[in-house]
Amino acid sequence: EAAVTQSPRSKVAVTGGKVTLSCHQTNNHDYMYWYRQDTGHGLRLIHYSYVADSTEKGDIPDGYKASRPSQENFSLILELASLSQTAVYFCASRGTGGMDTQYFGPGTRLLVL
Amino acid sequence: GEQVEQLPSILRVQEGSSASINCTYENSASNYFPWYKQEPGENPKLIIDIRSNMERKQTQGLIVLLDKKAKRFSLHITDTQPGDSAMYFCAASGATNTGKLTFGDGTVLTVKP
């Protein structure tokens, strides 16, 4: 199975602080995604990227930035963390050429105080 | 965009019986419908998927049905076991190549011994 790793696995941040979540994949996948999951709910797409040095807005991009410095790495940046951004964040990657399956990383549990 | 509604939100069944989860979507151009299983504290894992050129797919005790006219798809778990207890998510992906997934809010399945 495709390998996607995330760091940190958990983080406590202060309101107004900057938070960077990192994702790394070793599968040579073109597409990478950032989702957030709130307790008891489904995943919602924040940002995605299909090539290095380019990112696209997902369904809930406000308050988040993304960076794709290389094919393998995709970061999610919270410039001014807020209480409402407390959630679990999942990164995923997907190949192309009819390969639809998204493979998810283990998640990062973020608590903003 | 896309909207996916998933029902029921909670499902309790007896071991050995079947469990069914239903999802509806809005965008008639959606063409890929995966189902994910998520255990507590874990990441979502793909269990079965179906593309819009199919009406039925079956694998290892799982059946997924797709009714494009009604914009409805469903997951059926046959002969449920306690190990099937988890959160299940349906999702839909639009016709673009981005692979963006819109998730339902999930179903908590409990299989009683």
Side-chain angles (χ1 to χ4, degrees):
Chain A
E1 185 172 304
V4 180
T5 57
Q6 293 181 232
S7 63
R9 292 295 313 277
S10 66
K11 183 172 182 63
V12 179
V14 295
T15 305
K18 182 176 180 178
V19 176
T20 299
L21 307 182
S22 299
C23 179
H24 180 76
Q25 56 101 357
T26 58
N27 306 294
N28 204 32
H29 284 171
D30 288 328
Y31 284 87
M32 296 186 75
Y33 309 85
W34 276 107
Y35 295 89
R36 69 174 277 173
Q37 183 177 32
D38 296 283
T39 302
H41 290 281
L43 286 76
R44 291 181 290 168
L45 181 65
I46 307 170
H47 285 288
Y48 67 99
S49 168
Y50 56 86
V51 68
D53 296 322
S54 178
T55 64
E56 305 291 333
K57 293 181 179 179
D59 299 323
I60 54 164
D62 293 345
Y64 302 94
K65 292 183 179 179
S67 173
R68 183 95 182 266
S70 65
Q71 186 188 41
E72 299 80 15
N73 296 292
F74 191 35
S75 298
L76 185 68
I77 303 142
L78 291 65
E79 294 277 4
L80 295 169
S82 66
L83 296 174
S84 64
Q85 293 177 312
T86 292
V88 179
Y89 292 85
F90 288 100
C91 175
S93 73
R94 180 183 78 103
T96 54
M99 298 161 58
D100 296 306
T101 304
Q102 288 192 24
Y103 296 94
F104 284 84
T108 294
R109 191 170 296 273
L110 176 65
L111 175 61
V112 182
L113 299 175
Chain B
E2 177 63 279
Q3 299 260 12
V4 175
E5 182 174 0
Q6 181 173 347
L7 290 171
S9 55
I10 298 172
L11 181 59
R12 297 188 180 95
V13 301
Q14 205 68 39
E15 181 178 357
S17 66
S18 296
S20 296
I21 304 171
N22 299 292
C23 292
T24 57
Y25 61 98
E26 291 189 353
N27 187 350
S28 57
S30 289
N31 58 8
Y32 174 65
F33 307 92
W35 287 88
Y36 285 86
K37 177 182 180 182
Q38 186 178 30
E39 315 243 17
E42 300 287 320
N43 56 352
K45 292 180 174 60
L46 180 75
I47 54 173
I48 191 169
D49 57 9
I50 189 167
R51 295 180 182 169
S52 57
N53 60 351
M54 301 176 69
E55 295 179 349
R56 184 181 192 275
K57 187 174 180 181
Q58 180 171 358
T59 178
Q60 295 180 334
L62 303 175
I63 300 170
V64 62
L65 303 175
L66 173 62
D67 182 342
K68 286 178 290 186
K69 189 176 272 188
K71 290 187 281 188
R72 180 173 58 217
F73 58 114
S74 57
L75 174 69
H76 306 271
I77 306 172
T78 61
D79 188 22
T80 54
Q81 300 298 310
D84 293 324
S85 296
M87 175 80 92
Y88 290 81
F89 293 99
C90 64
S93 181
T96 66
N97 291 329
T98 64
K100 292 167 56 179
L101 289 176
T102 300
F103 283 82
D105 275 343
T107 297
V108 178
L109 172 64
T110 302
V111 180
K112 297 173 289 184

